[in-house]
Amino acid sequence: MKVAVTGAAGFVGTNLVNQLVADGHDVVAIDRVSPAHGLDHPQVTWTAADIFDHDALVAAFDGVDTVYHLVAMITLKQQDELAWRVNTQGVASTARAALAAGVRRFVHCSSIHSFDQYTDNGIVDENSARSENPALPVYDRSKWAGEQELRKVIADGLDAVICNPTGVYGPVDHGLSRINGMLRDAAQGRVPLFVEGNFDLVDVRDVAKGLTLAAAHGATGENYLLGGEQVCLFEAMRAVAELCGRFRPLFAVPLRLLNVVVPIAEPISHLFGSDLVSRASIAALVAQPVVDISKARTQLGYEPRPSADTLADLVSFLCDSKQMGSARPRSGRAFESVLPTPVG
């Protein structure tokens, strides 16, 4: 089968292309640049098409059965015009082109952030409130708005399904993503302390598999949460450090202290062009929602792997790809004694 992936050179895109090739598909990989690493399979054809160029996308989708739309701009900022445009109008533009090209199925990779995670009962499922509050970060609001744009095209006849991954981590990642970058630093013994807090993390390879399952079994217009396990980030960092025989973080900083520091540190961080220290980054940890993935399990056959496996595989990948310096992993059995019991 011939399929297309937008944002194919990115973190999720790389793993999705690998999954699709393994499944025997011919892939039209759409991105502004071709990656310098891997993905040179004979089954993969690279196309440098802009998601706002309707004619170029229609041409790229010619003869394609399924389109996977992954292009997104992730930010922790409160306002960002480019992120809003990419995450909303970009979805509409790609979906319209798929409809015009006669694509059979469209799979949109949205995010857990399109759901309001600050729920009273602490549980997020597909029926939870959405990110409509103007006080939420632009990423949260734009991912929900992007889904609304897609539903307009569904109403015009596009057969589309929406997937909502949680915090994505694991191999393969030549980037690195925020989460993988922090875990790499911890594995090198460079993180003396970290904030407390849990978050639902999902292996990027499970996200890729979930997207293909949604293409095969998802119902038109439905959302499917693709989660993994509730992971204590502090303990995960201690785990990867121990796996590499490096200095482990000594203690976790209480979130209540960060709530005092962030109003002062956030403007300074912005002066240096960073959004890492922000109310949004802390709020995500404070919320700590339990993500209910039973819908994806029962309707798609989705089954994520344990976090211990992801952490061990990530460290091995980082070492093999020379992103870890001299740090080398010991036995993966080290994880069993230091990782907390998953919640939810």
Side-chain angles (χ1 to χ4, degrees), residues 180-194:
N180 283 344
M182 291 188 293
L183 289 169
R184 188 271 310 274
D185 291 345
Q188 292 176 319
R190 296 167 53 190
V191 181
L193 54 87
F194 196 70

Side-chain angles (χ1 to χ4, degrees), residues 42-75:
Q43 295 160 256
V44 179
T45 302
W46 285 92
T47 301
D50 190 309
I51 60 169
F52 294 105
D53 188 333
H54 179 81
D55 292 340
L57 283 182
V58 172
F61 295 158
D62 182 44
V64 165
D65 177 86
T66 302
V67 169
Y68 295 88
H69 180 59
L70 309 185
V71 172
M73 185 171 174
I74 301 174
T75 178

Side-chain angles (χ1 to χ4, degrees), residues 95-333:
R96 290 288 177 194
L99 181 62
V103 168
R104 182 189 65 84
R105 170 136 274 205
F106 187 92
V107 180
H108 174 44
C109 185
S110 184
S111 170
I112 179 69
H113 287 273
S114 75
F115 291 89
D116 188 340
Q117 299 173 67
Y118 312 102
T119 60
D120 292 335
N121 64 1
I123 300 175
V124 174
D125 63 19
E126 287 82 358
N127 296 314
S128 295
R130 308 310 293 269
S131 295
E132 299 175 315
N133 189 338
L136 289 171
V138 66
Y139 182 70
D140 299 53
R141 291 181 284 109
S142 68
K143 294 305 286 185
W144 166 229
E147 291 185 23
Q148 292 175 289
E149 291 296 325
L150 176 58
R151 294 191 184 283
K152 296 175 185 177
V153 190
I154 293 174
D156 289 337
L158 182 66
D159 183 353
V161 62
I162 303 165
C163 291
N164 301 82
T166 57
V168 185
Y169 73 138
V172 176
D173 185 2
H174 296 277
L176 297 165
S177 69
R178 293 181 195 270
I179 298 173
N180 283 344
M182 291 188 293
L183 289 169
R184 188 271 310 274
D185 291 345
Q188 292 176 319
R190 296 167 53 190
V191 181
L193 54 87
F194 196 70
V195 297
E196 64 183 14
N198 300 339
F199 199 76
D200 191 293
L201 299 183
V202 59
D203 192 301
V204 65
R205 296 166 294 182
D206 293 331
V207 173
K209 184 62 177 179
L211 291 168
T212 64
L213 289 171
H217 306 296
T220 302
E222 291 292 313
N223 286 81
Y224 295 93
L225 283 161
L226 302 180
E229 285 185 2
Q230 194 84 352
V231 175
C232 173
L233 297 179
F234 174 71
E235 293 297 343
M237 290 189 168
R238 287 176 61 85
V240 294
E242 177 158 321
L243 184 61
C244 294
R246 294 303 181 97
F247 177 82
R248 299 190 299 171
L250 294 176
F251 65 91
V253 179
L255 289 171
R256 65 179 181 275
L257 295 182
L258 289 179
N259 286 329
V260 176
V261 173
V262 166
I264 301 171
E266 185 175 26
I268 298 174
S269 177
H270 287 172
L271 287 176
F272 289 92
S274 173
D275 61 1
L276 189 56
V277 179
S278 67
R279 286 168 292 175
S281 61
I282 302 306
L285 292 174
V286 171
Q288 302 184 37
V290 173
V291 181
D292 182 355
I293 61 171
S294 58
K295 181 177 178 180
R297 287 184 190 273
T298 56
Q299 296 188 19
L300 306 182
Y302 172 73
E303 193 63 46
R305 73 198 72 200
S307 60
D309 291 355
T310 300
L311 291 170
D313 290 348
L314 174 62
V315 170
S316 295
F317 166 76
L318 292 172
C319 291
D320 292 342
S321 60
K322 305 187 187 305
Q323 299 186 64
M324 279 283 290
S326 60
R328 302 297 304 178
R330 301 186 307 205
S331 168
R333 298 300 96 192

Side-chain angles (χ1 to χ4, degrees), residues 17-25 43:
V17 170
N18 285 334
Q19 178 68 56
L20 292 168
V21 168
D23 291 343
H25 299 300
Q43 295 160 256

